[in-house]
Amino acid sequence: MTTDNIRSQKLHVGLNIGIAAAALVVGLALAYGFGIGNYVLGVVLGVVIYLIGLQIVAGRIEGRRAARDRMWKTLIYAACVLAILPLASVVWTLISKGAGRLDGNFFGSSMNNIGARDPEGGAYHAIIGTLEQVGIATLMAVPLGVLGAIYLVEYGRGKFATTVRFFVDVMTGIPSIVAGLFILSFWVLIVSPWFNNGTPRFSGFAASLALTVLMLPTIVRSTEEMLRLVPGPLREGAYALGVPQWKTILKVVVPTALPGIVTGIMLAVARAAGETAPVLLVAGGAAAINFDPFAGGQQSLSLFVYQQAGDASRYAPARAWTAALTLVAIVLVLTVAAKLLARRNSLSK
């Protein structure tokens, strides 16, 4: 231990704030004085000057070792703030621009017979379409994805399991429009004519199939990773008591990994709810309300936002922002509900 490492003096909070304020003033003065940028560059320069000044002043008061520790803490806090700022900006923009049409007409009517000069019109048909399409896709993707992950972790050995894992990894990077084209060429153009007198039929169910293709790899990979995190002694203890493997998986492994599995599922649901290209290709979109996902075109909130954002009407942007806010709110409510349900597993009681 040296005298540099055992100093008891600490940098006063007021001095720290003073360094930050002075650095910010200098950064803004440099940005505006030399005409090289606006307040954003001024703040960035201020942060750099603050770190340099903090290192010098803290080094003289606390010692070099404590000064380095303080500087790295400041960098970590700054990185955390930088990571939160875009999210906070998105949330604020959605709320500020989307709150204007949060009324009964928006949630209780569709765009049927709504002209470019009509300020009315809502997203009721799009909300129904999103809930039905994502709900059907979830009912198909979750059992397949979870069971596939259980196979890969608990039973899968050899080349077949390696091949399955490889294709799951490949599917993770498939663009959404490719999934839509696949369902369009297979289901809409080949299978649906069998049930529609030889005529191809767009439908919300076709969109659900495309969303299922997109959700499956995310669910499989996230569930697989969560199952691998379950400690081996839990399985061994169940086997030592004579519990069959299938019951060990059902009663011990899955409940232990359930919170992580639910998180992966909700990530997949959020991605599916925000997809536009597959719905546009195989569901077509519709201005009127369609409760039947198996017959006729159907709208979704993401497609509604896309169409309203590109509409020439002066009232369309407000509808687009409110629909985007509604979509985020639906995903948030579903995520919170799923998290609350996941906590009520048998091993946490």
Side-chain angles (χ1 to χ4, degrees):
M1 298 295 290
T2 64
T3 56
D4 185 64
N5 294 330
I6 59 176
R7 296 185 183 183
S8 59
Q9 291 182 335
K10 296 295 182 180
L11 184 67
H12 194 271
V13 177
L15 182 58
N16 197 350
I17 296 175
I19 297 172
L24 181 60
V25 171
V26 173
L28 292 173
L30 290 175
Y32 285 103
F34 290 96
I36 57 177
N38 55 11
Y39 70 94
V40 176
L41 180 60
V43 171
V44 173
L45 292 175
V47 171
V48 175
I49 296 172
Y50 168 71
L51 292 175
I52 297 174
L54 180 66
Q55 178 71 16
I56 296 174
V57 176
R60 292 183 175 275
I61 297 177
E62 298 179 330
R64 288 177 297 177
R65 185 173 181 180
R68 285 195 299 268
D69 178 72
R70 183 180 291 275
M71 184 187 69
W72 283 109
K73 284 182 179 180
T74 304
L75 286 174
I76 292 173
Y77 293 150
C80 180
V81 172
L82 288 176
I84 294 175
L85 279 178
L87 176 61
S89 176
V90 170
V91 173
W92 172 252
T93 303
L94 284 175
I95 294 176
S96 61
K97 295 188 175 182
R101 281 300 314 275
L102 288 176
D103 50 43
N105 180 264
F106 183 83
F107 294 102
S109 62
S110 67
M111 292 298 295
N112 197 26
N113 298 323
I114 298 297
R117 297 183 178 181
D118 194 340
E120 302 298 327
Y124 179 69
H125 60 310
I127 296 173
I128 295 298
T130 295
L131 293 177
E132 289 185 353
Q133 293 164 19
V134 176
I136 295 174
T138 303
L139 291 177
M140 292 187 291
V142 170
L144 292 175
V146 173
L147 291 176
I150 290 175
Y151 166 77
L152 292 176
V153 175
E154 304 293 339
Y155 298 98
R157 301 292 185 272
K159 294 183 178 179
F160 180 73
T162 303
T163 303
V164 172
R165 192 175 290 108
F166 170 77
F167 279 105
V168 168
D169 292 337
V170 171
M171 288 178 62
T172 305
I174 291 179
S176 59
I177 194 169
V178 175
L181 287 173
F182 169 71
I183 299 301
L184 175 66
S185 60
F186 171 69
W187 181 265
V188 176
L189 299 180
I190 296 177
V191 178
S192 66
W194 296 353
F195 308 98
N196 195 35
N197 299 323
T199 304
R201 171 181 288 179
F202 293 92
S203 64
F205 180 73
S208 298
L209 292 176
L211 297 180
T212 301
V213 174
L214 297 174
M215 292 174 64
L216 264 176
T218 302
I219 295 175
V220 172
R221 291 298 296 156
S222 60
T223 303
E224 181 184 0
E225 294 302 322
M226 290 302 104
L227 293 177
R228 292 187 185 279
L229 292 177
V230 177
L234 288 178
R235 298 180 177 87
E236 296 169 0
Y239 297 153
L241 294 174
V243 180
Q245 185 176 9
W246 68 269
K247 187 173 289 188
T248 300
I249 296 171
L250 183 63
K251 298 293 185 179
V252 177
V253 177
V254 173
T256 304
L258 189 59
I261 294 174
V262 171
T263 300
I265 291 173
M266 294 315 302
L267 288 175
V269 170
R271 180 190 178 185
E275 291 294 345
T276 303
V279 182
L280 178 63
L281 285 174
V282 300
I289 300 171
N290 181 14
F291 289 96
D292 188 359
F294 299 97
Q298 197 175 50
Q299 186 67 279
S300 72
L301 279 172
S302 58
L303 182 56
F304 181 82
V305 172
Y306 170 76
Q307 292 175 342
Q308 292 298 309
D311 198 293
S313 173
R314 57 178 294 191
Y315 304 106
R319 300 190 195 107
W321 283 111
T322 306
L325 178 61
T326 304
L327 180 59
V328 172
I330 290 175
V331 173
L332 177 63
V333 170
L334 292 176
T335 302
V336 172
K339 286 289 187 180
L340 293 177
L341 291 176
R343 290 182 179 179
R344 302 183 60 182
N345 62 79
S346 58
L347 293 185
S348 64
K349 293 181 179 179

